[in-house]
Structure formats: C-alpha cells, structure tokens
Amino acid sequence: EKNNQEMSTNLKYLSLSILVFQTTSLVLTMRYSRTLKEEGPRYLSSTAVVLAELLKILTCILLVYKDSKCNLRALNRVLHDEILNKPMETLKLAIPSGIYTLQNNLLYVALSNLDAATYQVTYQLKILTTALFSVSMLSKKLGVYQWLSLVILMTGVAFVQWPSDSQATAAKEHSAGSQFVGLMAVLIACFSSGFAGVYFEKILKETKQSVWIRNIQLGFFGSIFGLMGVYIYDGEQLSKNGFFQGYNQLTWIVVVLQALGGLVVAAVIKYADNILKGFATSLSIILSTLISYFWLQDFVPTSVFFFGAILVIAATFLYGYDPKPAGNPIKA
C-alpha cells in the first residue's frame, strides 16, 4: 500500500515535471524555429502538425503493445475490436480531433507573431474557456473560488496584452497587425482547446476505453485533417519543394515535443490533478519568460507584464484550490 502510494506520488511528479519541460521547450523551440533566419524555404508548419500526429499514433500503438504483454496478436485484436469494430465510437472523436488539428496549426501562427512569454500567458485563457464549456456541456458546478480565479485570470491576461511604451519600439520590428494576428490565433485556440478538451473528457467518461486507444483514434483523424490542411494551404509550396522542405534538426525536435505534448497531458490527467497541472503551467510560464528574455532576446518584460503574469499564476492556483476541510473537520 505504502509503496503504491509512493509510486503514484512519484508518477505524479514525474508526469508534471515532464509537462513543465514539454510545455516550456515546445513553446520556445517552436518560436525559435519560426523566427530563425535561414537560407531556402522555411518548413511548413502544417506538415509538422501531421508528423506530430503520426508520431503520436506510433507511440500509442507501442504503449498498447506494451499493455498487451508485447503480444502482436493481442495488439492486433485490441486495435481491431476497439477501433474498427466500433466505428461510431471512433467517429465521435473526429470532432475533437479536427478541432485539435486546427488548434495545433493556430499555435504556429500565434508563435510566429507573438513572443513566447506573451503567448504562454495569454494561452492560459483556455482555463476560462474550458471552465465555461464544462459548466455548459458537463453541467459542472463551479465554486466561488473558481469563478473568482477566472476573473483574476482574465484581468491578468488583459494586463499582459496591454500595449506598453517598450512595445512601441518593438512595433517597428513587427507591426501591430502581426501582434493582432497572434492574439486572434491564441484566442481561437483557447476556445477550440476548451471545447475539444471538455468534449474529449465527456467521451472518456462515457466509455471505458484506454486513453492510448483514444489517442490513436484522435491521431488517426488528426493526420487526415492535417493532410487536408497541408494540401489546402500549402499545396503550391508542397509541389515545389516537397513535404520535408526546410526541415532540420530543430524542426524534428518541435515535432517530437508536440507529439509528446498530447501524451503527457493524457498521463497527467491520469496521474495528477488540475491543481498540480496548474502548478506545472505556472512554472512553465516563468521559465518561458526567463528564457524568452535571456536567450531568445525577443521579449523585454514590463512591470505591467509582471503584474499580469503574477495574476495569471495566482488564478491558476486558485482555480484548483478546494476549500473543503480535508478529512478532519474538527480543527476547522
């Protein structure tokens, strides 16, 4: 019993530290890879999204294989039973999957136009959209603390997006237009993330399938939608320079980190709770800000930014805070 508890605590913190690492490094490498000055064509972000999906499927199949005691026949049976023989169940995932694909493409747009720190903080609005969709779709009840935290969250993000004098100097480099495009991309991504997350949660609660099987189904549709995106948006470039144009080591790192992201979040949902997830997010925001400032040097924090970021981090904690007295109400 004690060992099990220790084990699950370790898994909790392991999955969280991986989440912090993944969130921070994905944002920074993505930002870096989109702003790097290079010879030749830049890689197509739409193709990177597809590769991340394929990699995710592959990893999940390996995980299911491991769960099936590394028996190929068992693996084949599980995949056949769970995916092919339940077409309606599988189709249900086309919706969140299409939205996730859209969202993954939007994140590239956002990071091509916003610095990593501003992006990270603004993207936390997905806590708000997720909460609203949970209330409307899963008829969840939010406590006073949670509503309060959502108000603080919005205030914080508003401060972070507040135009400042130092941005006037930065604005010469990239126009206010691109800042707006970045902001819009993040906002749409927040809404799609909130909706898809809640929808996915709803499906996970209604059926007893493993998270990995679910992710294989998500990835399957994700790659199809992703490929459609590649042809619709980058068809011309594709026929000119091929699918892997502009790819380098950094691009592959971004792809791996993005694939890892979906799986890490799945693991965190499994082993940790929202409070800890919020904790990981906050750490990630702080790290991104520091690295954005010292290493990418595309960001100079203002006092308004700091104030906003602190509010967002506080809101993240408050949202996961549960005021119920734990176990021993006499002390209270």
Side-chain angles (χ1 to χ4, degrees), residues 60-128:
C60 286
I61 288 178
L62 285 173
L63 286 164
V64 175
Y65 177 59
K66 194 182 131 281
D67 284 344
S68 324
K69 310 272 184 293
C70 300
N71 175 338
L72 270 179
R73 194 173 293 151
L75 169 73
N76 192 8
R77 195 168 55 241
V78 170
L79 294 180
H80 203 272
D81 289 349
E82 294 294 346
I83 298 173
L84 296 175
N85 292 352
K86 297 183 182 166
M88 283 321 293
E89 289 297 309
T90 302
L91 270 176
K92 272 188 192 164
L93 285 163
I95 299 170
S97 167
I99 299 173
Y100 279 135
T101 310
L102 169 76
Q103 182 192 332
N104 289 337
N105 278 298
L106 283 171
L107 298 188
Y108 280 101
V109 176
L111 278 166
S112 303
N113 295 298
L114 294 175
D115 62 81
T118 308
Y119 159 81
Q120 270 283 60
V121 179
T122 312
Y123 193 39
Q124 291 324 304
L125 273 177
K126 62 175 192 258
I127 298 176
L128 172 71

Side-chain angles (χ1 to χ4, degrees), residues 262-275:
L263 302 176
V264 171
V265 170
V268 169
I269 289 172
K270 205 167 156 182
Y271 297 116
D273 50 15
N274 268 330
I275 306 183

Side-chain angles (χ1 to χ4, degrees), residues 295-332:
W295 184 54
L296 295 180
Q297 292 174 347
D298 63 352
F299 167 73
V300 180
T302 57
S303 46
V304 178
F305 179 90
F306 268 123
F307 182 61
I310 287 169
L311 284 181
V312 168
I313 290 168
T316 314
F317 277 106
L318 188 59
Y319 187 75
Y321 173 68
D322 191 2
K324 292 192 193 79
N328 192 351
I330 304 161
K331 279 184 207 149

Side-chain angles (χ1 to χ4, degrees), residues 53 56-61 63 83 93 97 100 200 204 210-222 259 261-267:
E53 290 297 329
K56 202 163 77 178
I57 296 178
L58 199 67
T59 317
C60 286
I61 288 178
L63 286 164
I83 298 173
L93 285 163
S97 167
Y100 279 135
F200 190 44
L204 279 177
S210 83
V211 174
W212 310 131
I213 293 277
R214 285 304 188 198
N215 267 304
I216 293 173
Q217 293 166 317
L218 274 180
F220 169 72
F221 288 113
L263 302 176
V264 171
V265 170

Side-chain angles (χ1 to χ4, degrees), residues 279-300:
F279 190 68
T281 308
S282 311
L283 275 176
S284 172
I285 290 177
I286 298 166
L287 281 173
S288 304
T289 309
L290 292 174
I291 299 175
S292 204
Y293 177 60
F294 288 113
W295 184 54
L296 295 180
Q297 292 174 347
D298 63 352
F299 167 73
V300 180

